[in-house]
Amino acid sequence: MTTAQLTSPYQHYVYAYPHKTAYRELRDRPTLRSLWAAEDKSALSLYLHIPFCEVRCGFCNLFTRIGAPDDLTGAYLDALERQADAVREALGHGEQVRFATAAFGGGTPTFLTAAELDRLCDIAEHRMGADLRAIPLSVEASPATATADRLAVLAERGTTRLSLGVQSFVDSEARAAVRPQRRADVEAALARIRNAGIPVLNIDLIYGIDGQTEQTWLRSLDAALDWQPEELYLYPLYVRPLTGLDRHRTDTGDPDQAWDAQRLRLYRAGRDHLLARGYTQQSMRMFRRADAPRQGADDYACQTDGMIGLGCGARSYTTGLHYSFDYAVGMHEIRGIIDDYVATVDFARAEVGYRMDAHEARRRHLLQSLLQAEGLAVDDYRARFGSGPLDDFGPELQLLAERGWLTDADVDADAESDTTRLRLTPEGLAHSDAIGPELFSPAVRAAMAAYERK
């Protein structure tokens, strides 16, 4: 990890490790039954992916398509049922299989109609066996699709957290991010969500939008705070290849130091604004109101083993393999992958993935712990792996300490027994999107670099 490599604080958002661009076709196509046979299935996470949106935002590089013609949503739910049946069969019916958390993501799950959302919940409950009213259930929504009938279904079926992608309460900034919406419509959606009685409201906001100032950024934050959201996510804007903003960019794509400085300035202003108003920082992005009900695992829950993903963009995690379906960002390629998924009859095997060895498992645990405000518990790491984080990642952690990004604990192997937790400093958290990618293994970085964008 060189100083030059860490010049820009904005390299990658590490929401999963390894990234899907490191996944490759699995030539042996292992059966799901063999993959899950020896796994602990007593506290699984369930994720259902809906790859449809009414529009695609200019910054979005998620696996989603615009619209769903010719009854495609119904056909997609048919395929989701077939996949759920195959996965549930692979998990085994005579064993203790329990789901501890559930989430619907996308895309935009609330792109589905109220009746289709009811059917989605049935898939999770009746086909997979997840008791949605007894476990945390998080659902993503957009202002246009957060309608009263959809919210009523979600509330009745046990949704405990609704995440609304707002990005900005300033109409001109929303247009600049290619997010066509009006503040009045956003406010109306927020009123409907509060009226539905879902316990936790999360609002997503973005900083670094063209034309955004510290004043307009704080105006957006205050508009969000008027609704007293239990959670807020503050995302830096990225311009990713093959996205709408990328197609309209006029620069060379080289690091923009002025933009980096602007995003850091806005991040710090937003962080301080929320901390002063009773929110606690959970990670670089996540802030929770001090009195908000807990939802179980937070920011990096999707990285834990025992993850069951249903849908063509979902990931599943066992101890030895992370697997999914093919990945793309371009519209034409995404449509083809969705069509292939809908046409699939046999879901009994893993098709695309990344095999995890003991070294990668250590890196993943380091990443998913260190990038959270509470940091990495050394005793927990040692209990899991039989070694300490400083034994395994001493040079990397030493460099973070030298840069002032790791807490004042003496970072050397001899002192580790006296260090109960490794935490990033406030500046370290601010640089999470540089720290995370630089902790990727050489093998993962090579696989990501060799990925052919499509």
Side-chain angles (χ1 to χ4, degrees), residues 255-265:
D256 186 331
Q257 293 183 352
W259 191 30
D260 285 347
Q262 180 210 22
R263 285 181 286 180
L264 268 177
R265 185 170 60 253

Side-chain angles (χ1 to χ4, degrees), residues 347-360:
F347 286 100
R349 294 178 178 271
E351 305 289 342
V352 176
Y354 191 94
R355 297 192 184 279
M356 300 292 292
D357 59 20
H359 181 69
E360 294 290 16

